[in-house]
Amino acid sequence: MSKIQAIRGMNDILPEQSLTWHYLERIFQQVVKKFGYQEIRFPVLEQTQLFKRSIGEVTDIVEKEMYSFDDRNGDNLSLRPEGTAGCVRAADQHGLLYNQQQRLWYQGPMFRHERPQKGRYRQFHQFGIEAFGMVGPDIDAEVIQLSAELWRELDLLKYLNLEINNIGSASDRKAYGAALTAFLSARTEQLDDDARRRLHTNPMRVLDSKNPQVQEALTGAPVLQDYVNEDSKSHYQALCSILDALGISYSENSRLVRGLDYYNNCVFEWTTDQLGAQGAVCGGGRYDGLVKQLGGRETPAAGFAIGIERIVLMLDSLEKVPAEELRPIDVYILAVGEGLSAQTLQLAADLRARYPGLGVISHCGGGKYNSQIKRAFACGARVAVILEQEDGSAAPPQNARLRRLDDSGAVLTLEIAQIPEQMGDFLENSGI
Ligand code: ATP
Ligand code: MG
């Protein structure tokens, strides 16, 4: 029978890879905690309408990329393609938004039917934060500051660039979109199919077309900044001066528009040249209209989402994960002889109790010394503890050997009762 394979673009994360994920998840959780953000969890499945109303009917995500289906009741549901819509839905449904300030974070899988390639998958994962109830621009700056702090903690800051833009209000963009449509309508022969289709539905998306010919057609096009209202402008300028004062460097990119309709005023993206074509690792901005658009009361909001796979790729290729994080286990206890199970398992328990955080595997299943020590090496342990009965004896051993599994190969023989106490020093110093 043929074996069933995973769905294209949906990855298994294997034990070895998950060490990098754990490290990243831990650092992210430490950073959001330091900033006072609290976790919110919401379903991966929502009413399709939620995403249509928030992300926008004529965005790529909703038009082409959602996994949608009718369930057995005939409700049209979709796997979430991003987190903000579900976060707003959940926070509003449980009364967290009205007249309150909230700093929330989430993490989890997202689903988009895109063309899979390095850094672009159909199931991928995001960390996100959302801040509700603050009109900014200080909260915009905090959201960016938090992302910068994460990169600093991960030692990735020097590989990342921050781009920002002011996209004004929804009505500014409507006026601007009309001007852009008029401009491009006179140049349709230079546009590709995608751009021609967007011309009347979502003209601003033409701005970030990757087709050089389309970019050429945009020369001399009206610029959004000329359509942005004064309030947005001063908000944006205030944000820039806070970023300047905080020493967070950025470049202004007037073509940064983002692929989700709910954004307004300040938007930003962190990009890298370390990942080839998939250079965006984090995107965010303000979305003051979204809560109301989804039926809640008007609530100012800002947030971002980070692509976890892309950060994992960077951490691995730049070797930024500390070595001790990549070691799945520290100590492997061998038991060579009959009837040693209880003694071995007890020693493992004593070691774990004495050294919180130490990983201890107690060999199970018996076997000869050689096959057991091979497993100790294979699992990446630093030290093997060898409990071995004397030939012909049925009594439990009194002593055991500690053996470093590194080049030093240092060995120390100790009374078993002393092992928990001595293990710390033995792990530290190979020179015995
Ligand atoms: P891109 O321009 O790469 O398509 P996007 O603008 O669609 O990104 P957002 O919707 O803003 O991305 O999501 C935030 C982050 O999630 C992105 O910056 C990226 O790191 C990550 N991301 C988005 N789509 C994917 C995907 N299909 N696979 C892996 N990561 C993704
Ligand atoms: Mg995309």
Side-chain angles (χ1 to χ4, degrees):
M1 252 208 285
S2 64
K3 286 189 191 167
I4 295 170
Q5 304 281 318
I7 296 169
R8 194 165 118 81
M10 305 208 174
N11 298 316
D12 302 307
I13 297 160
L14 301 179
E16 198 187 340
Q17 301 165 304
S18 63
L19 296 169
T20 303
W21 285 68
H22 285 166
Y23 170 69
L24 174 55
E25 284 162 0
R26 208 184 63 240
I27 299 291
F28 176 77
Q29 290 182 19
Q30 279 169 6
V31 170
V32 288
K33 190 157 191 261
K34 282 198 280 186
F35 280 74
Y37 284 68
Q38 290 184 293
E39 186 180 11
I40 183 165
R41 301 188 189 195
F42 41 87
V44 286
L45 213 49
E46 298 271 3
Q47 301 284 349
T48 298
Q49 210 49 38
L50 175 69
F51 303 114
K52 288 194 173 171
R53 270 164 64 181
S54 52
I55 298 166
E57 296 256 9
V58 291
T59 55
D60 283 355
I61 295 177
V62 169
E63 271 188 343
K64 307 191 287 201
E65 298 173 359
M66 280 212 296
Y67 284 88
S68 304
F69 62 94
D70 289 333
D71 78 353
R72 287 164 200 270
N73 303 332
D75 292 329
N76 197 259
L77 309 181
S78 294
L79 285 169
R80 63 186 185 192
E82 56 100 61
T84 302
C87 182
V88 168
R89 199 266 314 132
D92 192 46
Q93 183 173 335
H94 298 283
L96 304 187
L97 299 183
Y98 180 56
N99 248 345
Q100 297 181 60
Q101 295 189 343
Q102 294 287 351
R103 288 176 166 83
L104 305 175
W105 68 269
Y106 61 83
Q107 99 183 54
M110 308 294 163
F111 303 84
R112 297 183 193 176
H113 197 275
E114 303 195 67
R115 194 169 68 78
Q117 50 200 292
K118 185 183 167 205
R120 189 175 296 286
Y121 311 105
R122 290 181 175 173
Q123 174 175 330
F124 63 102
H125 297 75
Q126 288 183 335
F127 293 125
I129 67 165
E130 315 290 357
F132 296 103
M134 290 156 274
V135 289
D138 42 4
I139 191 64
D140 300 55
E142 178 186 282
V143 164
I144 292 173
Q145 183 190 37
L146 190 157
S147 57
E149 171 71 5
L150 177 65
W151 312 139
R152 207 184 53 74
E153 287 280 343
L154 296 170
D155 196 24
L156 294 179
L157 192 54
K158 58 178 167 293
Y159 307 97
L160 294 168
N161 298 306
L162 173 63
E163 294 181 10
I164 62 173
N165 192 24
N166 179 11
I167 61 169
S169 68
S171 65
D172 297 341
R173 286 197 302 286
K174 202 163 167 217
Y176 172 64
L180 194 58
T181 304
F183 176 86
L184 290 171
S185 295
R187 292 163 181 78
T188 45
E189 69 288 352
Q190 279 171 271
L191 302 181
D192 57 17
D193 286 346
D194 250 2
R196 245 174 256 138
R197 191 169 49 79
R198 287 171 174 152
L199 186 55
H200 295 284
T201 54
N202 199 356
M204 280 176 63
R205 287 298 283 170
V206 179
L207 294 180
D208 65 2
S209 162
K210 301 206 163 71
N211 182 340
Q213 214 191 322
V214 174
Q215 283 298 331
E216 174 103 21
L218 284 163
T219 316
V223 288
L224 177 56
Q225 297 326 308
D226 296 338
Y227 292 77
V228 168
N229 68 79
E230 287 308 313
D231 281 352
S232 286
K233 276 186 185 153
S234 55
H235 183 108
Y236 179 74
Q237 274 152 16
L239 170 63
C240 290
S241 54
I242 300 173
L243 293 177
D244 291 337
L246 291 173
I248 297 174
S249 33
Y250 55 86
S251 49
E252 297 182 68
N253 175 359
S254 61
R255 292 196 177 173
L256 178 66
V257 291
R258 315 278 306 115
L260 304 105
D261 278 358
Y262 48 67
Y263 286 110
N264 70 295
N265 282 7
C266 306
V267 295
F268 67 92
E269 216 165 74
W270 287 93
T271 59
T272 181
D273 53 17
Q274 300 284 316
L275 294 174
Q278 270 54 252
V281 299
C282 171
R286 290 200 76 82
Y287 52 96
D288 296 317
L290 182 57
V291 177
K292 188 159 182 215
Q293 203 174 308
L294 291 176
R297 312 247 192 152
E298 195 152 318
T299 307
F304 68 59
I306 294 174
I308 299 185
E309 279 82 355
R310 294 185 191 176
I311 303 298
V312 166
L313 281 168
M314 287 184 80
L315 289 171
D316 284 343
S317 66
L318 296 163
E319 297 184 3
K320 291 294 183 189
V321 185
E324 65 269 20
E325 304 280 346
L326 294 176
R327 200 171 27 237
I329 194 74
D330 300 294
V331 176
Y332 195 98
I333 309 182
L334 280 62
V336 188
E338 295 299 315
L340 302 183
S341 303
Q343 202 182 11
T344 318
L345 290 166
Q346 184 60 53
L347 177 57
D350 293 346
L351 284 168
R352 293 184 195 113
R354 188 170 183 113
Y355 303 98
L358 193 75
V360 182
I361 289 181
S362 168
H363 179 86
C364 293
K368 295 213 161 62
Y369 172 82
N370 277 346
S371 72
Q372 293 193 31
I373 194 84
K374 254 189 212 155
R375 285 193 195 271
F377 274 106
C379 76
R382 297 150 72 196
V383 168
V385 181
I386 302 150
L387 270 65
E388 194 164 14
Q389 249 160 1
E390 285 184 33
D391 276 349
S393 161
Q398 299 298 308
N399 296 333
R401 281 174 289 150
L402 306 190
R403 174 172 165 189
R404 287 189 71 97
L405 301 174
D406 59 11
D407 293 342
S408 82
V411 176
L412 178 67
T413 302
L414 287 176
E415 269 182 52
I416 290 172
Q418 290 186 328
I419 288 176
E421 195 187 320
Q422 300 293 320
M423 181 59 83
D425 285 346
F426 190 76
L427 283 164
E428 294 286 300
N429 332 301
S430 64
I432 54 162

